[in-house]
Amino acid sequence: MNKPGTYSLILFASAITALFVGCNGENQNQTTAVTTATPPPAQVLKVVPRPNHILELMKQRGEQDEAKPVLKIVAPAQNGVINGSTVQVRLSLNGDLKGYQPHKDEATGMGNHIHVILDNQPYEAYYNLDQPFELRNVADGDHTLRVFPSRPWHESYKNLGAFQMVKFSVKNGGADASKPATTNSGQQISNVNSNAATTHEGKDMQNSTAGSVDPNKPLLTYSRPKGEYKGAEADPIMIDFWFANAKLHDNGGGTYRVRYSIDGGEARYIDKWAPVWLSGWFPGKHTIKMDLVDESGALVDNGGYNSTTREITVVK
Ligand SMILES: [Cu+2]
């Protein structure tokens, strides 16, 4: 975010100002004019309430936001071994759904969906549970898969049973590690069944393997923000995560805190498990670092997944 050119200009302007003050005390107007070349304002991010357009969407959705969706990972199986680099993901959705169903509205490109996370990569969106979701180009080795249901605006459901994780491994996959990361977008026609070509959702995956994650220990799963934000979408931007196997400080006597920092700035804390909306983003690239810490501020490790840094782009 530094702009060396701008700062040199300011230094130069200050030098000129000093010169004027030094040699001609009467030239106050000139001095004032030059010193108004102030440095660019720093980005100040404020926590703001849930925005009105989301409140409006919630109203239109009836009871859906009170749903308690329960996911089950049908495939890959826990500790399963996959031959080949394409991993078929199958999920079943149950629980108290109150009308909640994953579905992409073709007109808006939005809808309820599932966040699917291979290892600790950014999530991919899975819309049509009637079709398997393909993770393509998955590297040989051990992996984890994490899933949880999401609303159209990418806020996760946080009820018991919404989040699931399995470990599996890939053998003889021959995945191309040199492939660029997730450049293919979404849908692809697959002729798995020659009689009826089916549309599979799926994504090329980055080269990664599992951390040594203990499924019973406190686990922070980074979800949002992700990708590119444009116009009204970029103000405010939501921070959201899944937290399993423990409680945060303000959720009934928990001892954990989520610490985040934007662009390497001050540490901020989330003590109650809920999305946080931040307003005031400058255009450009930003980093978001999200850590799980204990009350002394020490990182609580779990296979490396409890400390995640992501980059997003804000376009205005
Ligand atoms: Cu989403």
Side-chain angles (χ1 to χ4, degrees), residues 117-243:
I117 301 176
L118 178 69
D119 303 326
N120 201 25
Q121 299 190 22
Y123 78 81
E124 299 297 345
Y126 180 11
Y127 287 90
N128 182 1
L129 300 193
D130 294 336
Q131 296 288 346
F133 183 93
E134 296 180 348
L135 308 174
R136 305 183 193 121
N137 197 44
V138 180
D140 280 10
D142 293 338
H143 296 280
T144 60
L145 188 75
R146 287 178 276 177
V147 298
F148 48 87
S150 165
R151 298 162 171 90
W153 56 92
H154 311 290
E155 179 183 345
S156 58
Y157 281 85
K158 296 176 173 62
N159 54 285
L160 203 68
F163 174 92
Q164 299 295 337
M165 177 167 79
V166 292
K167 293 186 179 188
F168 67 96
S169 58
V170 164
K171 280 186 179 160
N172 311 312
D176 181 358
S178 69
K179 259 196 171 167
T182 56
T183 48
N184 280 18
S185 63
Q187 313 255 336
Q188 167 180 308
I189 301 299
S190 167
N191 284 320
V192 173
N193 179 341
S194 57
N195 293 325
T198 51
T199 304
H200 283 192
E201 294 176 58
K203 267 291 175 87
D204 277 8
M205 304 313 295
Q206 298 177 37
N207 190 28
S208 73
T209 49
S212 52
V213 177
D214 184 333
N216 299 310
K217 285 192 175 158
L219 179 63
L220 175 68
T221 300
Y222 182 111
S223 181
R224 296 289 288 192
K226 179 196 175 210
E228 186 175 283
Y229 291 79
K230 275 185 190 164
E233 259 183 36
D235 196 30
I237 288 175
M238 179 188 70
I239 291 185
D240 194 40
F241 56 89
W242 232 93
F243 185 50

Side-chain angles (χ1 to χ4, degrees), residues 98-116:
K98 298 192 190 301
Y100 177 87
Q101 275 302 327
H103 171 74
K104 189 188 230 169
D105 179 66
E106 291 305 331
T108 61
M110 286 180 71
N112 293 319
H113 57 282
I114 311 296
H115 285 194
V116 175

